[in-house]
Amino acid sequence: MLLLGLELVLASYVGLRVYEKSRGKIVSGTSLSAVTESPTTPHTTPSDPKLLQEPSRGEKSVHLHYVKVSGATLGLSVLASLNPIWMPITLAGFTYSAIPYLRLVEHSLFKKKKIDGYVLYGVADLMTLGLGHVFTATLGISLTHIAYYLVSNAEERSKNSLIDVFKQQPRTVWLLRDNVELEVPLEQVRQGDIIVISTGEIIAVDGVVITGIAAVDQHTLTGESQPAEKTVGDMVLASTLVLSGCIQVQVLTAGSDTTAAKISELLTHSIDFKTHSQLKGEQWADAWSVPFLILGFSAMPFLGPTATVVILNGHIAQSIRITAPLSTLNYLNVAAHRGLLIKDGRVLEDLPNADAFVFDKTGTLTSDEPSVGRVIIYDVNYHENEILMMAAAAERKLAHPIARAIVKKAESLDLTLPDIEDAHFQVGYGVSVMIGDRLVQVGSYRFMQQEGVELPDDSDQDIQQAHNAGHSLVMVSCNRHLVAILEMHATLRPEVIDIINKLRDRRSCILAIVSGDQEQPTRKLAERLGMDHYFYNILPQNKADIVEHLQQRGYTVCFVGDGVNDTIAMKKANISISLSGATSIATDTAQIVLMDGSLKHLPDLLEISTELEKNLDRSWLLNVVPSTLTVIGAFFWRMDILTSVVLTQGGLGLGVANAALPLRQLKTESPTPLLPHQSYAEYERTAGE
Ligand SMILES: Nc1ncnc2c1ncn2[C@@H]1O[C@H](COP(=O)(O)OP(=O)(O)OP(=O)(O)O)[C@@H](O)[C@H]1O
Ligand SMILES: [Zn+2]
């Protein structure tokens, strides 16, 4: 009777597949996943090849449906054991519940052409049915559906918290409407709109240049350090930086699409990744599939088919595929709750190994808003306000902390900024603009040297004095003649000393500062914080060289930065971190963004990654022990099928409970408030008024 039932299940499945093929549907292997399209999850559409390879995740509601149907079938199977009249409907329910799983088996056998955990478990469950254990067979299917439901549930939860956190990063652009520039949120930009992008600004959307000419630094996208010249008809890309010129760009994709694309990229990297231990576990499980199959069937002549099923049930692939993603997703959720935007799940795995922490100085260790101190004047023809007015005009559209400080100072004095022309920004040096017929340049000592600006003899002493006090300096020249030096007072972020001490306490690592600033301010800060190394006067490319050098010496490097000048190093580093409110190019590049705009949660990040590692190890143990017992049981204790299912699924249950452990923290903690500081977007908003 039940062998007949088994044949019916298989025949129904084959019938269904033939019917689907004849209707030309592409459903092979999508099985346990949703086949409905969700607007926030463009990567889980049915035609996505990723789903065809790894169809374990999908929409919660679909899994819930199967949980319900298989649960009801489980009830029916109890009735069927009392009265066979219930058998046909039970078999129908079983077939319906098993279809998603059979798709996976079909996919493994015919698409991937391999015998893996899905095949083993499918064979075991169908054999269970064939041997007359309808209840046990249905139990196996039900528990599988419950497990996948839990994964999809966790996935949805972390997805939502990631989206929430991501949306806390406001962006604005300058929209041209009726010849007036209006600052609007990126989300409001529509396809075909025209936006204006000036020197020093980061392009927020993909588009085509319709007027103007600009030199664009595209290294964050192409890695190429030479700026590209963009003029009418050329395409410009989001996350690139305008170094000189001003362009009007016609938008190709709406701002909301740009955000959606970013979110979907983020979700793909964070949620669809597999931890090394999961990959290793799956490889291990897959490699052991054929031996398990052989072992199971060679036991059959001596111990009977029950032993075969028990041995096949002892295979652990099933549980690894469930517990590992569940743990990871739950920890991502905890991270989001603490205001940590993790854009690439892989970094959670690399973090426990990080043993070199490299910090940028200005804007990262020091607060993102320095202030202008003394204005030391070298040309008596200029008044302090006039100097600040020129410097602020030159810096107006730049996102550098120094630029912001100067603009803020000018604002506080109610200075009206003159129009500028012909602006050129040189990352790590400074900016040149024309104000009327005067060439005004604002930047570092090195910038002045490069531009042939001579420094008066008496400036040496002033420079020395300011440096001794730990201040940084910015020079202002007019027509290649130094007019003033601005003293920049940067305060250390209040949490930094504590963070550095915590890092020291928690792991043996080296700590370093790299800065584009000069020696003395950098050294002073390094000494104050007890850093192991400090590097000063470093150009953006050289920041990356330092990271590479450390990597060559065997370190796993975590780079924490805020500026345009940090992005090359961020790309090179094993782990890159930025702070919300930093330049958008830095928060775009970094794998992790600290959303409260401070370094406070950096130790939490390390803690979360270490806990995840331990949690995965524990899950592994919780899977392996019952599996081993099951296999031993098949040979020595004549274990029955129900016991093997209860034992292995019990291990899975414990694994699931273990994976849920981090969620307890969510209950006791209130979410981290985001962005207490003014963001650059806000800053830009107010600066334009
Ligand atoms: N927009 C700017 N306006 C004025 N000076 C600038 C500007 N950008 C860079 N500079 C000068 O070039 C130097 C190096 O700049 P860079 O941005 O590489 O590093 P930084 O901001 O000083 O320090 P860190 O690398 O620690 O963030 C600055 O110290 C400053 O003197
Ligand atoms: Zn910086």
Side-chain angles (χ1 to χ4, degrees), residues 359-364 395 398-403 406 425-431 442-447 472-475 513-518 538-540 543 562-563 565-566:
F359 293 88
D360 162 70
K361 179 174 80 72
T362 315
T364 303
E395 300 277 20
L398 300 185
H400 197 282
I402 292 176
I406 295 174
F425 175 46
Q426 217 179 326
V427 182
Y429 287 85
V431 60
V442 189
S444 64
Y445 176 70
R446 178 170 23 199
F447 185 45
S472 305
L473 296 173
V474 180
M475 313 201 166
I513 300 185
V514 284
S515 179
D517 202 357
Q518 288 191 280
I538 303 292
L539 289 173
K543 285 194 177 184
D562 75 306
N565 60 339
D566 299 319

Side-chain angles (χ1 to χ4, degrees), residues 182-215:
L182 296 172
E183 194 177 20
V184 300
L186 177 58
E187 294 278 298
Q188 284 176 17
V189 172
R190 300 275 157 269
Q191 190 181 357
D193 279 349
I194 292 163
I195 59 170
V196 183
I197 308 157
S198 322
T199 300
E201 282 189 300
I202 289 144
I203 303 176
V205 290
D206 294 347
V208 177
V209 180
I210 54 164
T211 7
I213 178 164

Side-chain angles (χ1 to χ4, degrees), residues 665-680:
Q665 301 174 15
L666 291 187
K667 293 211 179 82
T668 52
E669 286 171 11
S670 48
T672 301
L674 309 172
L675 274 175
H677 303 287
Q678 185 192 36
S679 70
Y680 274 103

Side-chain angles (χ1 to χ4, degrees), residues 103-158:
R103 287 194 206 278
L104 291 180
V105 176
E106 180 194 330
H107 183 70
S108 296
L109 283 177
F110 300 107
K111 286 262 154 55
K112 294 203 277 185
K113 299 205 181 349
K114 74 176 186 187
I115 291 176
D116 58 12
Y118 295 123
V119 177
L120 252 63
Y121 197 73
V123 170
D125 209 56
L126 290 179
M127 276 182 75
T128 308
L129 180 75
L131 290 169
H133 306 284
V134 192
F135 174 79
T136 314
T138 317
L139 181 66
I141 288 286
S142 298
L143 292 173
T144 306
H145 283 305
I146 291 175
Y148 281 112
Y149 168 72
L150 290 174
V151 176
S152 63
N153 194 22
E155 179 168 313
E156 192 176 291
R157 212 168 9 192
S158 19

Side-chain angles (χ1 to χ4, degrees), residues 162 265-273 332 342-345:
L162 278 177
E265 192 187 315
L266 182 150
L267 293 173
T268 315
H269 286 154
S270 278
I271 292 179
D272 279 355
F273 92 105
L332 277 175
I342 299 178
K343 294 196 269 180
D344 191 336

Side-chain angles (χ1 to χ4, degrees), residues 622-684:
L622 288 169
N623 288 331
V624 170
V625 172
S627 293
T628 316
L629 286 177
T630 307
V631 177
I632 296 174
F635 283 102
F636 301 108
W637 308 324
R638 298 213 151 249
M639 187 181 279
D640 62 53
I641 300 179
L642 183 59
T643 313
S644 75
V645 170
V646 170
L647 195 61
T648 49
Q649 299 280 354
L652 174 59
L654 288 176
V656 167
N658 172 55
L661 284 178
L663 297 180
R664 284 185 319 180
Q665 301 174 15
L666 291 187
K667 293 211 179 82
T668 52
E669 286 171 11
S670 48
T672 301
L674 309 172
L675 274 175
H677 303 287
Q678 185 192 36
S679 70
Y680 274 103
E682 275 171 77
Y683 155 75
E684 278 168 9

